[in-house]
């Protein structure tokens, strides 16, 4: 059984509207999602002793989400990840997007899908958010109707993204939750054991744009096909962390993406998706300046993201999976976050 409750979360400044919180509960999970950015603000899951902890980074109040912060828990779009120099050409016309992470456009621009109020609809086992992204929003062509649905089933949170376009536009939607399976506020993720089911990954330039190569993981630091303990692995390969797209099966069917295990608590997160890629990010840009829930500070490497997605800069790289949505087509992708203990 899943229960869904609805409550006020806060008011946006200058009469911008009311933000609501939706609490989804099953026998195994409690998930809080707000209508600002379809943001997951809390996700409680029990450890092997039966003690529940919140395993996502974020804030207790709306003000936290309105400040400059790194997309905690939010849905990002119209195009997640980076577009080189914020520019692309589509059907012979050149588009210039706002540059919000020099020298590129990141996660939909200055005011992406994470920084808008969505319209909620309560379901029996979750909540569906919708909005219409107007033609020209953040420089993107065409009107885009978008639906993001969160549903709960036991220990599994399912996120479905659908979109329809009035004219051809790139679309790439994901959720940017930062997880720490020891519990949010724990100092780092070095004791997490990570597996990613990818034979290839995308090398990047110094601005984190893919070079265009699709490189085998074999014999590199990016071979996560067998579990690695993150801290040891980063030390061994003298790495500052991961912020890379791993290439998954290019099938529209549900496929296994990643597994993360935290030995101390026994918590396991498995991710399944219909997407062709996942950005594995180890919170390299977190710097301890933000105050989170319960007064937690979030230093570097205190959370990880598994952003299921199309490949970064696909709109400029024709040999990457197609990212354009045309009128009459439907964008429809699903990601499953399955929690258990071991």
């Amino acid at each position: 059984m899943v229960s869904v409750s609805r409550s006020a979360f806060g008011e946006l400044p200058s009469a911008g509207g009311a933000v609501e919180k939706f609490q989804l509960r099953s026998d195994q999970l409690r998930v809080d999602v707000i209508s600002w950015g379809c943001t997951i603000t809390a996700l409680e899951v029990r450890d092997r002793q039966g003690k529940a902890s919140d395993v996502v980074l974020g804030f207790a109040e709306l003000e936290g989400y309105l400040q400059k912060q790194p997309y905690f828990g939010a849905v990002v779009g119209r195009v997640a990840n980076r577009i080189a120099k914020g520019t692309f050409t589509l059907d012979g016309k050149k588009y210039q997007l706002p540059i919000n992470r020099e020298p590129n456009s990141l996660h939909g621009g200055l005011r992406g899908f994470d920084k808008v109020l969505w319209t909620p609809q309560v379901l029996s086992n979750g909540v569906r958010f919708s909005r219409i992204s107007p033609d020209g929003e953040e420089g993107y062509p065409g009107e885009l109707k978008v639906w993001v649905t969160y549903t709960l089933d036991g220990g599994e949170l399912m996120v479905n993204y659908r979109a329809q376009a009035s004219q051809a536009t790139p679309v790439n939607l994901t959720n940017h939750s930062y997880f720490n399976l020891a519990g949010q506020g724990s100092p780092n993720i070095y004791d997490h054991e990570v597996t990613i089911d990818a034979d290839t990954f995308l090398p990047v330039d110094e601005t984190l744009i893919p070079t265009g190569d699709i490189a085998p993981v074999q014999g590199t630091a990016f071979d996560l096909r067998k579990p690695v303990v993150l801290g040891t692995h980063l030390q061994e390969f003298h790495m500052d962390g991961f912020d890379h797209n791993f290439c998954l099966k290019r099938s529209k069917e549900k496929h296994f993406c990643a597994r993360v295990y935290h030995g101390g608590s026994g918590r396991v997160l498995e991710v399944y998706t219909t997407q062709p890629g996942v950005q594995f990010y180890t919170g390299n840009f977190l710097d301890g300046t933000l105050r989170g829930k319960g007064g937690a500070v979030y230093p570097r490497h205190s959370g990880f993201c598994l952003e299921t997605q199309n490949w970064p800069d696909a709109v400029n790289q024709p040999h990457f999976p197609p990212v354009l949505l045309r009128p009459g087509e439907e964008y429809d992708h699903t990601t499953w976050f399955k929690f258990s203990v071991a």
Side-chain angles (χ1 to χ4, degrees):
M1 278 299 293
V2 173
S3 70
V4 183
S5 61
R6 180 174 194 164
S7 58
F9 191 71
E11 290 285 334
L12 292 170
S14 15
V19 177
E20 291 182 287
K21 179 176 92 175
F22 300 83
Q23 186 165 96
L24 285 44
R25 274 181 181 271
S26 71
D27 55 345
Q28 295 174 54
L29 290 182
R30 191 202 96 197
V31 183
D32 292 354
V33 193
I34 59 171
S35 53
W36 178 256
C38 306
T39 301
I40 296 172
T41 61
L43 196 159
E44 275 196 2
V45 58
R46 287 193 280 273
D47 65 9
R48 66 164 75 87
Q49 260 71 56
K51 180 180 168 291
S53 291
D54 183 359
V55 297
V56 293
L57 280 55
F59 306 100
E61 281 93 31
L62 178 60
E63 292 67 43
Y65 292 100
L66 300 180
Q67 67 185 327
K68 185 172 171 17
Q69 51 91 12
Y71 308 95
F72 284 146
V75 164
V76 291
R78 186 177 297 194
V79 175
N81 217 304
R82 288 169 175 79
I83 292 178
K85 301 188 170 53
T87 183
F88 62 90
T89 301
L90 172 51
D91 297 336
K93 186 176 175 196
K94 187 176 176 183
Y95 293 89
Q96 179 63 56
L97 313 171
I99 302 299
N100 61 325
R101 187 64 65 88
E102 282 288 345
N104 306 313
S105 180
L106 175 69
H107 293 331
L110 298 168
R111 189 167 180 260
F113 288 4
D114 61 301
K115 296 179 184 68
V116 290
L117 195 56
W118 293 65
T119 303
Q121 178 196 351
V122 173
L123 309 173
S124 62
N125 60 343
V127 59
R128 174 175 296 133
F129 297 100
S130 61
R131 78 175 294 254
I132 294 176
S133 169
D135 179 17
E137 183 173 56
E138 291 299 307
Y140 288 97
E143 182 183 272
L144 190 73
K145 292 181 176 153
V146 194
W147 298 266
V148 177
T149 308
Y150 293 94
T151 50
L152 215 49
D153 179 11
E156 191 165 68
L157 171 66
M158 182 171 101
V159 191
N160 171 258
Y161 307 87
R162 285 173 49 224
Q164 295 166 357
S166 69
Q167 69 182 86
T169 179
V171 181
N172 188 19
L173 305 174
T174 192
N175 179 283
H176 210 303
S177 287
Y178 290 71
F179 298 96
N180 186 320
L181 297 182
Q184 70 90 25
S186 301
N188 61 59
I189 48 171
Y190 299 142
D191 56 355
H192 287 48
E193 199 178 277
V194 179
T195 312
I196 298 179
D197 191 22
D199 296 330
T200 52
F201 77 103
L202 300 182
V204 292
D205 68 17
E206 65 287 352
T207 75
L208 299 178
I209 293 287
T211 59
D213 293 340
I214 300 168
V217 298
Q218 184 73 40
T220 74
F222 299 90
D223 192 348
L224 306 179
R225 293 173 296 185
K226 291 194 173 67
V228 306
V229 177
L230 198 55
T232 316
H233 188 80
L234 292 178
Q235 269 184 320
E236 198 178 313
F237 286 94
H238 307 291
M239 289 179 79
D240 291 334
F242 287 95
D243 194 358
H244 295 79
N245 179 84
F246 287 76
C247 308
L248 307 172
K249 292 186 181 69
R250 289 206 207 183
S251 129
K252 281 283 168 69
E253 303 304 304
K254 176 179 181 178
H255 43 262
F256 173 64
C257 165
R259 180 180 190 268
V260 184
Y261 170 62
H262 179 250
S265 65
R267 290 190 187 95
V268 178
L269 166 60
E270 290 173 301
V271 180
Y272 297 81
T273 189
T274 58
Q275 290 277 21
V278 62
Q279 187 85 2
F280 178 42
Y281 174 51
T282 49
N284 313 331
F285 292 110
L286 297 174
D287 61 5
T289 54
L290 293 169
R291 286 272 159 175
K293 290 172 280 193
V297 289
Y298 299 134
R300 180 180 163 83
H301 299 159
S302 59
F304 68 89
C305 304
L306 286 164
E307 303 157 62
T308 52
Q309 57 170 21
N310 199 335
W311 302 359
D313 198 36
V315 72
N316 291 312
Q317 313 236 15
H319 59 298
F320 285 8
V323 71
L324 294 182
L325 180 69
R326 294 189 181 271
E329 300 173 343
E330 183 167 76
Y331 177 95
D332 187 352
H333 277 289
T334 306
T335 294
W336 294 261
F337 297 96
K338 186 179 180 187
F339 293 89
S340 57
V341 289

